[in-house]
Amino acid sequence: MSIKKSIIINLLLVLSTSLFAHEGGHGTPLRQWKVTISNDIIKADFIKYENHTVWLSDDNHIIKSYPISAFSDADQEYIKTQSQLIKVLNSDAIISTKLPSVTYLNKALIGLGCLLLCFSVFKLVKRKKIVYLSYGVLGMGVIVIVGCKNTTSVSTAQVPQNKVTVMQTFFDKFEGVTTHVDKDFLYVSSNGLPDHEMMVGISNWQQQVPIQQNYTGSNSWAIPIQPQLAKNPLSTKTNLLKGAIAVAVNGIPIFNPLNNRGEDANAIGELDHWGGHCGRADDYHYHLPPLHLQDQVGEGNPVAYAVDGFPVYGETTDTLDQYLGKTNADGSYQYHTIKDYPYFIAGMRGEVILDPKTEAPENQVYPQPRTQELRPALRPIKGAEITDFKSLEANNYVLTYILDSKPYIIKYHWDSDDNYTYQFINPDGTTTVETYKPREK
């Protein structure tokens, strides 16, 4: 190949690269932002601006939110301009889904672009006149514009909004569980204690026992009313080992099937017969989908809602995707459960915000309700197995575990002033009493 031909072809490649390297994709570097409140420089892509809050995504795909006042005047102007542009593009994408003929037009335009590009290369090689380069530039421009418009249509695909009144009917079936809504979220409030038996069957126990939690008011669980499909779903095998990934319809949070050490909590004996146990704050939660709740909500109804807004159903014979979910005819999305690990939600299919204070794999969805820590975290008792758990009366419980074939008993209760009393009864009848009161926050 002659030097002249080589120069011409390289020039075309350079032009095509510059055309593809536009704002918001196709290999562009992340934008630099100066956060004035902390004086930090961060690199991230702009996601959206709403209600005076800015969402950015860093190179690890972690989404962080900031008040718009945290940025310089130049960045604020950029944010507002980009926000308006996204609204316009989204409007175009919605219109294009209603006009199937647009797809054929796009294909024709791409074909025209390829034809112009080939014509340009052919003429440059044969005639060796730089004027034919303009045909190649024009063809490449057509391909890029149509291709980017198609990318926008895919990335802004909408799923139907959740029917809030229908969601509320499932939570309303459980005593002590209440809901309220705003324009963005359905909030689920409870005391963190289910109305079924707990703890029995645990053989790998860290000495926690269930107590009430204040999942109410601003500390309630939040489920998005308008879920958004994520461009890069988070695998629950390498993410979200901390905090809840779903909320059961009885108001109990559901954590990743893996514990925070990356172990299958079910396989190593940490869970009771209902798929739950207590965390370090004595907070009861599930690690398995609570299929026993189908008795109350009915077969074919969701037993939980993921924190990305999509419902969680029981088992199905339908084909599931890699996230253990499926897309319905109306565009809605739902998760299902299977018998073996990963049991449910193999990946968080919907868009979520991650707590910036956490890192993968022990990252968590933000915000998460706060738990009420009471006793210090204890170590597992090797060989202990919980055989009985009873509610004697309101706020009064007794747990029995077997160790070396001998029964040990823990009786505990709390009063209206949040005074907690624990009585530890050994097989020989000796007793130890401990009292606690929640720390002020």
Side-chain angles (χ1 to χ4, degrees):
M1 183 183 292
S2 68
I3 296 175
K4 191 170 184 178
K5 288 181 182 178
S6 178
I7 292 172
I8 291 169
I9 292 171
N10 285 330
L11 181 58
L12 276 172
L13 290 172
V14 170
L15 283 169
S16 66
T17 302
S18 64
L19 282 167
F20 274 104
H22 61 87
E23 181 74 30
H26 302 291
T28 33
L30 299 178
R31 179 184 171 87
Q32 284 195 345
W33 308 78
K34 182 174 182 180
V35 183
T36 56
I37 55 176
S38 60
N39 226 17
D40 292 334
I41 300 294
I42 61 174
K43 292 183 178 181
D45 277 331
F46 173 75
I47 301 298
K48 71 172 182 176
Y49 167 56
E50 189 175 274
N51 296 331
H52 306 291
T53 302
V54 181
W55 279 267
L56 304 177
S57 175
D58 66 15
D59 54 0
N60 292 318
H61 304 293
I62 295 176
I63 297 176
K64 300 179 181 181
S65 61
Y66 303 88
I68 191 170
S69 57
F71 298 99
S72 66
D73 291 342
D75 279 345
Q76 289 186 35
E77 186 63 31
Y78 174 85
I79 289 165
K80 292 174 181 178
T81 302
Q82 287 297 107
S83 180
Q84 290 300 317
L85 177 60
I86 288 172
K87 288 179 181 178
V88 172
L89 289 174
N90 285 348
S91 298
D92 290 344
I94 292 169
I95 291 170
S96 69
T97 62
K98 298 178 181 179
L99 299 172
S101 61
V102 172
T103 301
Y104 300 109
L105 177 60
N106 287 346
K107 289 180 179 178
L109 289 172
I110 291 174
L112 175 61
C114 292
L115 187 62
L116 288 170
L117 191 58
C118 292
F119 176 77
S120 175
V121 173
F122 177 77
K123 286 294 186 180
L124 282 169
V125 172
K126 290 290 185 181
R127 299 292 182 87
K128 301 180 177 58
K129 291 184 178 180
I130 201 70
V131 68
Y132 292 112
L133 184 63
S134 60
Y135 293 101
V137 173
L138 179 60
M140 186 61 68
V142 170
I143 294 170
V144 170
I145 291 170
V146 176
C148 290
K149 189 172 182 62
N150 286 342
T151 301
T152 302
S153 297
V154 172
S155 65
T156 57
Q158 295 290 311
V159 295
Q161 190 176 82
N162 283 325
K163 296 179 180 178
V164 174
T165 54
V166 175
M167 296 171 70
Q168 289 177 309
T169 61
F170 302 129
F171 292 100
D172 288 345
K173 293 180 181 293
F174 298 90
E175 186 177 353
V177 180
T178 60
T179 59
H180 65 280
V181 299
D182 61 19
K183 67 182 183 66
D184 296 316
F185 295 98
L186 169 73
Y187 297 95
V188 180
S189 301
S190 75
N191 67 358
L193 293 174
D195 59 2
H196 59 69
E197 195 176 350
M198 296 173 278
M199 307 301 286
V200 176
I202 293 177
S203 57
N204 188 351
W205 177 52
Q206 292 185 309
Q207 303 190 61
Q208 277 80 35
V209 295
I211 63 173
Q212 66 183 355
Q213 300 293 328
N214 185 31
Y215 298 140
T216 60
S218 61
N219 201 47
S220 300
W221 298 98
I223 302 171
I225 295 173
Q226 177 60 75
Q228 301 287 341
L229 292 173
K231 295 179 183 178
N232 300 295
L234 294 169
S235 166
T236 50
K237 187 175 183 179
T238 54
N239 288 278
L240 309 178
L241 301 189
K242 183 178 180 182
I245 62 173
V247 183
V249 288
N250 64 348
I252 305 301
I254 311 175
F255 283 36
N256 194 312
L258 302 179
N259 61 22
N260 61 356
R261 298 183 300 277
E263 303 163 321
D264 182 344
N266 180 51
I268 63 174
E270 286 190 345
L271 306 182
D272 61 23
H273 295 323
W274 298 268
H277 69 178
C278 293
R280 292 184 177 182
D282 287 333
D283 55 308
Y284 186 82
H285 55 262
Y286 300 119
H287 279 265
L288 297 179
L291 299 185
H292 56 275
L293 299 181
Q294 289 181 324
D295 293 339
Q296 283 126 303
V297 298
E299 291 284 342
N301 289 319
V303 296
Y305 279 85
V307 291
D308 61 5
F310 295 123
V312 179
Y313 288 80
E315 296 179 15
T316 182
T317 56
D318 293 343
T319 301
L320 302 178
D321 62 22
Q322 61 184 311
Y323 312 109
L324 296 184
K326 66 173 187 175
T327 302
N328 300 311
D330 64 352
S332 62
Y333 186 85
Q334 61 191 53
Y335 296 106
H336 282 272
T337 64
I338 60 175
K339 287 184 170 61
D340 301 313
Y341 178 82
Y343 307 107
F344 77 126
I345 311 182
M348 191 61 68
R349 187 65 186 87
E351 198 73 65
V352 292
I353 297 174
L354 295 179
D355 187 340
K357 297 179 182 177
T358 61
E359 294 182 359
E362 287 192 75
N363 48 0
Q364 67 176 2
V365 175
Y366 177 86
Q368 290 269 335
R370 300 175 305 278
T371 54
Q372 174 182 274
E373 295 189 20
L374 190 68
R375 301 184 301 150
L378 302 173
R379 298 181 64 82
I381 300 178
K382 188 175 181 179
E385 181 176 357
I386 299 174
T387 58
D388 193 30
F389 183 87
K390 287 186 175 64
S391 175
L392 303 179
E393 55 188 39
N395 305 335
N396 197 325
Y397 299 90
V398 57
L399 179 147
T400 302
Y401 67 93
I402 302 297
L403 180 63
D404 297 329
S405 301
K406 297 177 182 178
Y408 292 76
I409 297 172
I410 302 174
K411 292 183 178 180
Y412 67 102
H413 67 275
W414 60 90
D415 59 26
S416 57
D417 294 323
D418 277 346
N419 296 303
Y420 287 73
T421 302
Y422 294 79
Q423 185 180 12
F424 301 89
I425 304 172
N426 297 317
D428 61 4
T430 57
T431 300
T432 303
V433 176
E434 297 177 3
T435 58
Y436 296 91
K437 194 173 181 68
R439 294 188 291 271
E440 294 291 336
K441 292 186 178 181

